[in-house]
Amino acid sequence: MRVLLVGAGGVGAAAAGIAARRDFFDAFVVADHDAARAEKAASGTGDPRFVAARVDASAPEAVAALCREHGITHVLNAVDPRFVMSIFSGAYAAGADYLDMAMSLSSPHPERPYRDCGVKLGDEQFAVADDWAANGRLALVGIGVEPGLSDVFARYAADHLFSRVDEIGVRDGANLVVDGYDFAPTFSIWTTIEECLNPPVVWEADRGWYTTEPFSEPEVFDFPAGIGPVECVNVEHEEVLLIPRWVKARRVTFKYGLGNEFIEVLKTLHKLGLDSTGPVKVGGVSVAPRDVVAACLPDPATLGERMRGKTCAGTLVTGLDRSNQYKSIYLYHVVDNEWSMREYGSQAVVWQTAVNPIVALELLASGTWSGVGVLGPEAFDAVPFLDKLVEYGSPWGIREQ
Amino acid sequence: MRVLLVGAGGVGAAAAGIAARRDFFDAFVVADHDAARAEKAASGTGDPRFVAARVDASAPEAVAALCREHGITHVLNAVDPRFVMSIFSGAYAAGADYLDMAMSLSSPHPERPYRDCGVKLGDEQFAVADDWAANGRLALVGIGVEPGLSDVFARYAADHLFSRVDEIGVRDGANLVVDGYDFAPTFSIWTTIEECLNPPVVWEADRGWYTTEPFSEPEVFDFPAGIGPVECVNVEHEEVLLIPRWVKARRVTFKYGLGNEFIEVLKTLHKLGLDSTGPVKVGGVSVAPRDVVAACLPDPATLGERMRGKTCAGTLVTGLDRSNQYKSIYLYHVVDNEWSMREYGSQAVVWQTAVNPIVALELLASGTWSGVGVLGPEAFDAVPFLDKLVEYGSPWGIREQ
């Protein structure tokens, strides 16, 4: 296996560090628009299989050329979701398989944005799934932690814990604090705004996919490992689009434990138009307000040393168990920032995202996982993935509610 | 009298429209960095005394050259307070008198920003007051509505209503709504952020000027004319720096009726660093986040047609009246947006600001008001000013609390 990693930001650099401890690949090219950042992530592994390259992720032909130059078999996309389609197309053009951690972007329904779906997350990728399958190529989409591990949990629960699944609700929460900042998101603010301000999507068996107002159906979810109760709200997320394609359930939701303060910040950004990705003229220049917001905040990848606490990703499944008893079970994965900083030098949120595509690459390299077309994580057997996660030193947990 | 108006934004254009109905001047040059905007404001009056010019308000020599070219006797500054010192200096260099509606900017105390004053509003102007006086020149500073009319009210109360003044508290509130926008400030957001996020300043006779945390001493003030109760908080404002220089009082404050929603928006902008005026790098360009915030919001001067409601500026004076009875009296001025749009085509907040310097210019032209040095509105007799306001069709009111 010869891997091209596109993106040497927080998640990309963490992925390189995790992969460097494994022997399932022969070459690992770390590419970024910032050559110095790529070089730092590659050389930081101290592993001669890693080399750095510069790439324009917005140009499919540049991605394809880099694949051909290095004989790439698998492209791992670790940049923000604006670049999904260019990297996805570039990998296909070069005959490589493809993995990402976020899918092609949605756009709201032009007339009824808070009721009906417009273009859904991943629609552009699924539109060409037949081409990928016909060419024997695999795009494994949404294989970070959420989407990714959360989808694996859904598949595991359906296969091994339940006889009938009523609701699959992904629940994500943390008690991370960043010392020395009034406000410092622990994950890309660009992506967080995209997720939280787009109309949240819900799936129901008798209705299909539909949308709601942002921040709908608030609930307080009690997270494990000492994190405790956090206010969670519906947000747009890939799991809701992926899980119903492969796992039988009556309802699928995603709720993000944003907490009240973060919700208020996002509402204010939206109210002022500062979430916009369209350029505004300011003096003699044009900028996208959302990029200015991101530029004002510290880079989450650099905050690990100042962070304290844990982050939890998990999937709450309710339905009838194998004995036809009504059950509600939360399958989850917790990363303590102190542990991830000590073991890998990566902060908890980016490490938790980055470990999953490396596990998946290892399962694909061994042939334990295989397939063609555009497939989500729940299209594969969950057990070897969850076992591998334990082998990587990061076990998962299960809690009956 | 030959007037140079610098700034053809909302307040400048409204000032031109108000002045055009009066005969106290011979020439009125409307200058702006945007020549088309200046031309629109000048020709919009349909009055041949008005001509347009282009000027760089940040260059004192450009302001002085324009004064000399047109034989200007009085410069009226109607741009944002970043340009106070350049216009003030330019007028002085050309031998013209000067009026403004906001004073030179403050900077917080480097060590104790929320206890002690650093550089105060107007300090840079008062520092050269002796030069202005020695040259027989007048700078009438802070002669909008607040500061301006609010200072005139303070002087009137001290001269005619009270024998001992305990507290002079300016209180500003409105019930304006803008149809069709989630959030649309009715006054310059740049200036509002500056006023509200700088440490509020308070004056006490036995302590002098000192500062507090932003948004301190919240109170609900019941505004007249049907506006009703609005949450008010301390903000930095010129009245607190001006009134104690000429009017004897034990305490002077300024509270702005921001309302809860606006306060939360300002706190969020501050938390995210989006209030900053220092440039940040975004992609290949540099921008000040505060300028981006302003660019995302509609221009308040253009909102008049969509606005409904009234704005109130006033001064609450407490102390012993002429019969040594304890009294609390609110002197106020209300503008109904429907009236100002119909009568002048200007929205209420900018019209209410703009009328006052025109009244002052008229009093200076007739010699009713005269003086040299750097003087606030409360340095002059209040009665002819308040009478003139009635003559302009915009009466003021008085309410015993």
Side-chain angles (χ1 to χ4, degrees):
Chain A
M1 177 180 277
R2 300 178 66 84
V3 180
L4 167 62
L5 168 69
V6 182
V11 172
I18 296 163
R21 303 196 186 181
R22 313 298 298 185
D23 59 11
F24 64 84
F25 60 90
D26 303 311
F28 202 111
V29 179
V30 181
D32 198 279
H33 71 98
D34 177 347
R37 191 161 81 157
E39 178 55 39
K40 191 175 166 208
S43 64
T45 63
D47 179 333
R49 294 177 298 172
F50 285 76
V51 295
R54 207 202 150 275
V55 73
D56 174 1
S58 69
E61 60 279 14
V63 175
L66 200 56
C67 287
R68 293 192 190 100
E69 180 188 342
H70 292 276
I72 295 301
T73 60
H74 292 76
V75 175
L76 171 54
N77 170 4
V79 294
D80 82 53
R82 279 175 287 189
F83 304 102
V84 160
M85 287 313 293
S86 52
I87 300 171
F88 177 78
S89 307
Y92 182 78
D97 287 357
Y98 167 88
L99 298 87
D100 64 30
M101 291 166 271
M103 292 161 66
S104 60
L105 291 172
S106 65
S107 57
H109 191 283
E111 283 100 42
R112 298 176 299 277
Y114 303 130
R115 200 186 83 184
D116 295 342
C117 293
V119 176
K120 300 188 299 300
L121 290 171
D123 273 2
E124 286 184 82
Q125 293 174 286
F126 283 115
V128 293
D130 289 349
D131 296 342
W132 282 70
N135 277 283
R137 296 263 59 83
L138 171 65
L140 169 46
V141 295
I143 185 67
V145 60
E146 283 173 341
L149 180 53
S150 49
D151 302 76
V152 171
F153 284 143
R155 170 72 184 263
Y156 180 84
D159 281 0
H160 301 285
L161 304 178
F162 287 83
S163 60
R164 188 193 82 195
V165 173
D166 291 341
E167 177 156 353
I168 297 176
V170 182
R171 296 289 182 272
D172 172 302
N175 65 354
L176 295 165
V177 293
V178 181
D179 294 325
Y181 287 94
D182 279 350
F183 186 76
T186 55
F187 199 69
S188 158
I189 188 75
W190 199 101
T191 307
T192 306
I193 291 173
E194 182 75 15
E195 286 176 352
C196 297
L197 293 178
N198 279 345
V201 60
V202 172
W203 187 83
E204 291 179 3
D206 54 3
R207 188 172 168 187
W209 286 293
Y210 65 92
T211 56
T212 73
E213 296 271 348
F215 311 114
S216 61
E217 298 182 23
E219 68 170 58
V220 174
F221 188 79
D222 190 21
F223 287 92
I227 294 172
V230 181
E231 174 142 349
C232 296
V233 290
N234 277 329
V235 308
E236 179 190 58
H237 228 255
E238 285 87 345
E239 289 92 326
V240 179
L241 288 315
L242 288 172
I243 291 171
R245 295 175 196 262
W246 288 282
V247 176
K248 189 167 155 52
R250 295 189 175 178
R251 192 166 198 263
V252 181
T253 59
F254 182 100
K255 290 190 183 176
Y256 197 4
L258 286 168
N260 264 327
E261 184 191 18
F262 210 117
I263 291 172
E264 289 308 314
V265 165
L266 291 169
K267 285 181 177 174
T268 300
L269 291 175
H270 181 59
K271 188 155 60 180
L272 275 64
L274 291 166
D275 58 322
S276 169
T277 57
V280 296
K281 278 190 68 176
V282 182
V285 303
S286 274
V287 287
R290 194 190 294 183
D291 293 339
V292 177
V293 173
C296 286
L297 294 171
D299 177 356
T302 66
L303 296 176
E305 297 287 352
R306 293 164 171 266
M307 263 168 63
R308 287 178 290 116
K310 295 172 181 168
T311 186
C312 178
T315 305
L316 177 67
V317 185
T318 58
L320 298 181
D321 72 5
R322 301 268 143 180
S323 320
N324 282 327
Q325 302 293 306
Y326 192 79
K327 282 280 169 61
S328 185
I329 295 176
Y330 186 57
L331 302 95
Y332 64 91
H333 183 249
V334 170
V335 176
D336 185 329
N337 188 68
E338 194 195 338
W339 176 86
S340 65
M341 285 302 294
R342 188 179 67 233
E343 283 289 314
Y344 283 89
S346 297
Q347 57 101 311
V349 181
V350 300
W351 191 89
Q352 192 183 37
T353 305
V355 65
N356 295 288
I358 303 303
V359 167
L361 282 168
E362 183 159 348
L363 295 174
L364 293 169
S366 67
T368 308
W369 275 14
S370 64
V372 295
V374 177
L375 303 179
E378 53 283 273
F380 300 86
D381 183 7
V383 173
F385 190 97
L386 294 173
D387 288 348
K388 195 59 86 175
L389 205 57
V390 175
E391 186 190 319
Y392 273 56
S394 191
W396 55 287
I398 209 164
R399 181 182 73 181
E400 203 172 315
Q401 301 297 95
Chain B
M1 178 179 278
R2 300 179 66 83
V3 180
L4 167 62
L5 168 68
V6 183
V11 172
I18 296 163
R21 303 197 187 181
R22 313 299 297 185
D23 58 11
F24 65 84
F25 60 91
D26 304 309
F28 202 111
V29 179
V30 181
D32 199 279
H33 72 97
D34 177 347
R37 191 161 79 158
E39 178 56 37
K40 191 175 168 208
S43 64
T45 64
D47 179 335
R49 294 176 298 171
F50 284 76
V51 295
R54 206 202 151 275
V55 72
D56 174 1
S58 69
E61 60 279 13
V63 175
L66 201 55
C67 287
R68 293 193 191 99
E69 180 187 342
H70 292 275
I72 295 302
T73 60
H74 293 76
V75 175
L76 171 55
N77 170 4
V79 294
D80 83 53
R82 280 175 288 190
F83 302 102
V84 161
M85 287 314 293
S86 52
I87 299 171
F88 177 78
S89 308
Y92 182 79
D97 287 357
Y98 167 89
L99 298 86
D100 64 29
M101 290 166 271
M103 293 162 68
S104 60
L105 291 172
S106 65
S107 58
H109 191 283
E111 283 99 41
R112 298 177 299 278
Y114 303 130
R115 200 186 82 184
D116 296 341
C117 292
V119 176
K120 301 187 299 299
L121 290 171
D123 274 2
E124 286 186 81
Q125 293 174 286
F126 283 116
V128 294
D130 289 348
D131 297 342
W132 282 70
N135 277 283
R137 296 263 60 82
L138 171 65
L140 169 47
V141 294
I143 186 69
V145 61
E146 284 173 340
L149 180 52
S150 49
D151 302 76
V152 171
F153 284 142
R155 170 74 183 261
Y156 180 84
D159 282 0
H160 301 284
L161 304 178
F162 286 84
S163 60
R164 188 193 82 196
V165 174
D166 291 341
E167 177 155 353
I168 296 175
V170 183
R171 297 289 183 272
D172 173 303
N175 65 353
L176 296 164
V177 293
V178 182
D179 293 325
Y181 286 95
D182 279 350
F183 185 75
T186 55
F187 199 69
S188 158
I189 188 75
W190 199 100
T191 307
T192 305
I193 292 173
E194 181 75 14
E195 286 176 352
C196 297
L197 293 178
N198 279 347
V201 59
V202 172
W203 187 84
E204 290 179 4
D206 54 3
R207 187 172 168 187
W209 286 293
Y210 65 92
T211 56
T212 74
E213 296 270 350
F215 311 113
S216 60
E217 298 181 23
E219 67 171 59
V220 174
F221 187 79
D222 189 21
F223 287 92
I227 295 172
V230 182
E231 173 142 351
C232 297
V233 290
N234 278 328
V235 309
E236 179 189 57
H237 228 255
E238 285 86 346
E239 290 91 326
V240 180
L241 288 316
L242 288 172
I243 291 172
R245 295 176 197 262
W246 288 282
V247 175
K248 191 166 152 54
R250 294 189 174 179
R251 191 166 200 264
V252 180
T253 59
F254 182 99
K255 289 190 185 176
Y256 197 4
L258 287 167
N260 264 328
E261 184 191 18
F262 209 118
I263 291 172
E264 290 307 314
V265 164
L266 291 169
K267 285 182 177 174
T268 299
L269 291 175
H270 181 60
K271 188 155 61 179
L272 274 63
L274 291 165
D275 58 322
S276 170
T277 56
V280 296
K281 279 190 68 175
V282 182
V285 303
S286 275
V287 287
R290 193 189 295 184
D291 293 339
V292 177
V293 173
C296 285
L297 294 171
D299 177 357
T302 66
L303 297 177
E305 297 288 353
R306 292 164 172 268
M307 264 169 61
R308 286 179 290 116
K310 296 171 181 168
T311 185
C312 177
T315 304
L316 177 66
V317 184
T318 58
L320 298 182
D321 72 5
R322 300 266 144 179
S323 322
N324 282 328
Q325 301 294 304
Y326 192 79
K327 283 278 170 63
S328 185
I329 295 177
Y330 185 58
L331 301 96
Y332 64 91
H333 183 249
V334 170
V335 176
D336 184 330
N337 188 69
E338 195 195 338
W339 176 86
S340 66
M341 285 302 295
R342 188 180 66 232
E343 282 290 313
Y344 284 88
S346 297
Q347 57 103 311
V349 181
V350 300
W351 190 90
Q352 191 182 37
T353 306
V355 66
N356 296 287
I358 302 304
V359 168
L361 282 168
E362 183 159 349
L363 294 175
L364 292 170
S366 67
T368 308
W369 275 14
S370 65
V372 294
V374 177
L375 302 179
E378 55 283 273
F380 301 86
D381 183 7
V383 173
F385 190 97
L386 294 173
D387 287 349
K388 195 59 87 176
L389 207 56
V390 176
E391 186 190 319
Y392 273 56
S394 191
W396 54 287
I398 209 164
R399 181 182 72 181
E400 204 172 314
Q401 302 294 96

